[in-house]
Each structure stands twice: as structure tokens, then as C-alpha cells.
Amino acid sequence: MQFSYQNPTLIEFGAGKIEKISTLIAQEKKVLFVYGGGSIKKNGVYEEVQKALKNHTWFEFSGIEANPTKETLDKAIAYGREKNIDYILAVGGGSVIDGCKYIANAFYYEGDGWDLLEGKYTPTKALEIGVVLTLAATGSESNTGAVITKKATKEKRFFHSPFSYPTFSILDPNVLKSLDDRQLANGVIDAFVHTCEQYITTKHGALAQDYYAEGILRGLFELANTYTKRDDLWYANLMWLANQALNGLIGLGVPQDWATHFIGHELSGLYGIDHARTLAIVQPNLLREFIDERGEKLVQMGENVFKMSTKNPNDVIDKIETMYKNLGVNLELSSYTQDTDINEKVTTLLTKHGFTHFGYNGSVNKEMVEKILNKSL
Ligand code: NZQ
Ligand code: ZN
């Protein structure tokens, strides 16, 4: 085990915490308040933020899409520069937060912000970011990742930057109550797959990481089983479990995979499918293709997460798949797109993005991706 770990984001968790923005952002800061398509105007969050900012100088930029695009974000940068802002407040789900990470990191760069995604620009300076989380799924509220789409080429890529850690994130579970069934199911699944990507690899014996991951998976499985009987604690648990799944902790010093995510990102970029749905479609079939190398860990998962006594990893994959189906997700790719060229388009983009041998041990290649996609049709 070898790692360095520091997560500097202050988490303010609980009902009524949005008002804390008034003291969490220094008085002299000029704030750009960034949000998405308007859900915060219907559930009261916009008013709460507005109230908390009453003593600040602030401007707003709305319209960040789900699967945020560079094209829209570049407009936010231009607007922020015009207003001379020096702080960015992201109010939304993963898309708004990721979008704000792009804005913050590209703000002082004269070139094309997309260079961040292509690894051609490494920022040395960025805007400070604060977050009000409205959708629990990605963990973006306290990690360094951001996933951005370029509309012009239908490419969806990610970048990491140490400047992307928000200074603070406000997690008020009541805010999640206006989410519809689809988005809540997406949240459970995304967090579940994040944990799997750091867990279903090989037996490594790092006990804290393994057993903590199993605890998160158990929690999410319990939420999936009580999905139709959601109470206050259900929402609070989802918010914290999704955060813990991808705040960096469980992946420390252990093999990580992310193959399901890399394939899923291409599917979202090409066809606009919800991020979590791409994962639910791809993951079970990916695991089936790699049953030998991942079997031992799957059996451990069956025992410790699902309380199964099976020694057959296929049973565990079936259990995962049933959980996704019970959450109302259609797992057939052909129900989202009629394109007959999916294999060719996905593998071409993966190659372009450098993913020719990926997964935790490099065994996911073009041929395997084609097999997985064929099984997922
Ligand atoms: O735009 P608004 O009007 O806010 O509506 C959003 C959006 O339509 C709505 N919503 C959000 N909070 C709501 C609400 N509706 C009602 N009540 C609320 N409280 O939900 C819709 C989806 O929002 P979005 O932010 O797109 O969802 P999510 O949080 O799942 O984020 C998905 C994005 O994050 C990326 C994904 O690829 C995708 O682009 N990811 C980011 C990661 C990271 N930064 O670490 C990791 C993930 O694996 C993922 O790739
Ligand atoms: Zn994800």
C-alpha cells in the first residue's frame, strides 16, 4: 500500500445548511452563481442561495446541461471574465459541479479550455469553487474529477486537477426530495458502480478499503430495496453514501478499474444516455466477459454484500443486474438508440482517447469492448 491522501473540502451536511454560504464565502469575493436548467427555481433552492448571498456581489449563469458541454461553459467563462468574478458557486448535480470545475480551471487560460481535457494544459491557478449539491450520485462535490462533453465532436472526456476540490460543499438531504424516480435510481446506481470500480478487481488484502467498500455497497443495496419507501433517513443515507463512494478514500493504494465508466462515457457522448444508465447497461456484461479474473472478488462480494452463499460469480452478477432492473432501468442498449454502428463508433472514440488496453490490469481491449456491446444490445 502506497498513497498520499488529503481531501480539503469542508462538508456541511444537514437540513438548513444553505444559509452558511453567507459566511463560507469571503465578503469581498465577486461570485458567479452557476446552475442548470432551472430545477432549483422550482424547489426553493434558488431563493435560499439568493438569500444567503444578500451581502455579496454576485452574478448568475444558468443553462448548464446534463452532460455539460464545453460550448456552454466557454460562454460562462466569457461572462465571468466580463464581470471580473473571482469565486464560483456551483448549485446543482454532477453536471453543474463538473462544469464549474472546467470554468474554474480554464478561467485564467488564454487558450481553448478543451486543452484541459486533452492533457495539453495544466493549470497553475484557478478560481475557488463552492458547492450546493442537489443530486447525490457522482461524488463530484468533494473530488477532483470533471467530465465534459464537446458537442461539436460528440466526445465526452474527463480531467483531474487539484484546484477542482471545492473549498466547501453543502449537502442538505431535503434538497433531494424534488428529484424524480429516474434521477434517484441513477444516483443509487452511479454510487454503486463507483464503489465496484474500486473493489471488483483482484484480491489484494487491503482490509480497510475492502470492508469499507463493502459497507457502502451494502448501504446502497439497502436503499435499492427500500426505494419505494423513502423517508428522511433514506435521502440522507443516499447523499452520504454517494459522497463516500467517490471522495477518494476507498480507492487508496488498491487496484482500480473504471472500464465500465470509460465505455459508458462514450455512450453518453454519442447518444446522450444518462451516465448511470450507461453503467447499468455495460457493467454486468463486462463482468461476465472477465468472470475468471474477477470471480474471486465477485464471490467475496456475494458473501459480504448480498449475504449469498454461492461460489458461482455468475449468481452475483445476476444479483447486481436484478437490482438495476428493480430500480426501473432498461438494460438494453437498443432501447436507447437504433444506431447500427455502435461498436465502430465507441471503439473508434475509445482508441482516440487512448483506451486501447484498459481496466485494472489492461485486459479490456477493442475485441472485448465489441463483445460487451454486442451482449448489451
Ligand atoms: O439542470 P437542472 O434543472 O438542475 O436539472 C437536473 C438535471 O436535469 C436535475 N436535478 C438536479 N438536482 C435536482 C434535479 N431535479 C430536481 N430536483 C433536484 N434537486 O437532474 C438532472 C441530472 O442532473 P446531473 O447533474 O446531470 O446528474 P448527475 O449528478 O448524475 O451528474 C451526471 C454527470 O456527472 C458526470 C457524468 O458523466 C455526467 O456528466 N460524472 C462526474 C463524476 C465526477 N465528477 O467525479 C464521476 C461520475 O462517474 C460521472 O461520470
Ligand atoms: Zn459515475
Side-chain angles (χ1 to χ4, degrees):
M1 258 195 261
Q2 290 256 29
F3 57 81
S4 307
Y5 181 62
Q6 181 180 30
N7 190 320
T9 302
L10 166 75
I11 304 281
E12 284 289 353
F13 194 102
K17 294 274 187 164
I18 292 177
E19 65 181 30
K20 288 227 162 202
I21 293 172
S22 61
T23 50
L24 288 169
I25 304 178
Q27 208 64 69
E28 67 279 8
K29 294 284 182 192
K30 273 188 165 182
V31 182
L32 185 63
F33 167 8
V34 178
Y35 57 99
S39 66
I40 63 164
K41 291 219 164 158
K42 294 185 200 130
N43 61 8
V45 171
Y46 180 87
E47 285 74 16
E48 278 186 73
V49 173
Q50 200 180 28
K51 222 158 107 193
L53 284 174
K54 72 173 188 296
N55 294 322
H56 284 83
T57 303
W58 62 276
F59 307 92
E60 69 180 70
F61 187 92
S62 64
I64 308 295
E65 315 90 334
N67 299 321
T69 66
K70 161 221 185 309
E71 285 84 352
T72 301
L73 300 168
D74 286 340
K75 289 182 193 153
I77 292 176
Y79 181 65
R81 285 180 185 154
E82 185 193 314
K83 298 294 180 194
N84 214 8
I85 59 124
D86 55 8
Y87 196 99
I88 184 150
L89 179 64
V91 183
S95 293
V96 170
I97 303 168
D98 286 6
C100 287
K101 291 176 178 179
Y102 174 99
I103 299 169
N105 282 277
F107 196 77
Y108 298 109
Y109 179 52
E110 283 174 11
D112 182 352
W114 189 250
D115 288 348
L116 283 164
L117 285 297
E118 297 201 328
K120 294 180 188 160
Y121 170 60
T122 306
T124 51
K125 187 181 171 193
L127 289 170
E128 225 180 305
I129 306 169
V131 166
V132 176
L133 181 67
T134 67
L135 195 163
T138 62
S140 186
E141 67 276 9
S142 63
N143 68 33
T144 56
V147 194
I148 309 295
T149 298
K150 189 176 189 176
K151 213 170 12 186
T153 54
K154 294 191 169 180
E155 281 175 276
K156 186 170 185 184
R157 305 201 66 180
F158 64 88
F159 77 99
H160 287 273
S161 157
F163 296 109
S164 290
Y165 276 121
T167 311
F168 69 83
S169 277
I170 294 176
L171 276 59
D172 175 348
N174 279 338
V175 165
L176 304 181
K177 291 179 182 166
S178 56
L179 284 161
D180 60 18
D181 288 1
R182 167 177 152 196
Q183 295 300 345
L184 287 167
N186 284 353
V188 173
I189 293 168
D190 195 19
F192 193 87
V193 180
H194 291 160
T195 313
C196 292
E197 302 270 42
Q198 299 163 88
Y199 171 77
I200 310 176
T201 54
T202 186
K203 281 249 187 202
H204 48 62
L207 299 183
Q209 293 88 325
D210 244 15
Y211 296 156
Y212 195 25
E214 286 167 359
I216 294 170
L217 292 170
R218 280 180 65 181
L220 290 164
F221 181 54
E222 222 168 291
L223 294 189
N225 288 336
T226 50
Y227 177 66
T228 52
K229 295 175 234 133
R230 303 190 286 260
D231 58 9
D232 283 0
L233 199 52
W234 192 98
Y235 289 102
N237 276 320
L238 176 63
M239 206 161 212
W240 193 230
L241 283 163
N243 177 276
Q244 296 295 291
L246 198 51
N247 72 348
L249 196 62
I250 60 171
L252 296 173
V254 299
Q256 300 195 20
D257 200 79
W258 301 104
T260 294
H261 268 73
F262 298 150
I263 300 170
H265 285 164
E266 306 301 1
L267 290 171
S268 289
L270 285 165
Y271 308 112
I273 307 170
D274 288 354
H275 170 65
R277 278 156 206 254
T278 66
L279 308 178
I281 293 165
V282 169
Q283 190 211 27
N285 291 325
L286 185 143
L287 293 173
R288 288 189 180 104
E289 282 304 324
F290 292 96
I291 195 95
D292 291 337
E293 63 182 45
R294 292 154 200 248
E296 206 181 359
K297 213 59 194 285
L298 280 163
V299 170
Q300 180 184 326
M301 180 177 176
E303 199 174 308
N304 293 349
V305 175
F306 298 127
K307 308 292 165 205
M308 297 164 86
S309 54
T310 184
K311 296 287 172 233
N312 181 353
N314 278 302
D315 297 341
V316 184
I317 299 173
D318 291 347
K319 187 89 177 172
I320 296 172
E321 199 172 55
T322 304
M323 177 183 127
Y324 299 156
K325 283 185 187 156
N326 289 344
L327 285 168
V329 179
N330 193 328
L331 300 181
E332 284 155 10
L333 200 43
S334 53
S335 67
Y336 298 86
T337 171
Q338 298 308 307
D339 193 352
T340 50
D341 247 359
I342 301 175
N343 275 353
E344 181 58 29
K345 287 183 185 157
V346 169
T347 54
T348 302
L349 280 174
L350 282 169
T351 305
K352 181 173 178 194
H353 298 153
F355 297 118
T356 49
H357 295 87
F358 55 113
Y360 81 93
N361 61 359
S363 57
V364 186
N365 57 22
K366 182 171 185 269
E367 190 197 346
M368 296 311 270
V369 173
E370 284 172 353
K371 280 190 185 168
I372 294 160
L373 291 173
N374 284 338
K375 270 195 175 154
S376 306
L377 283 176

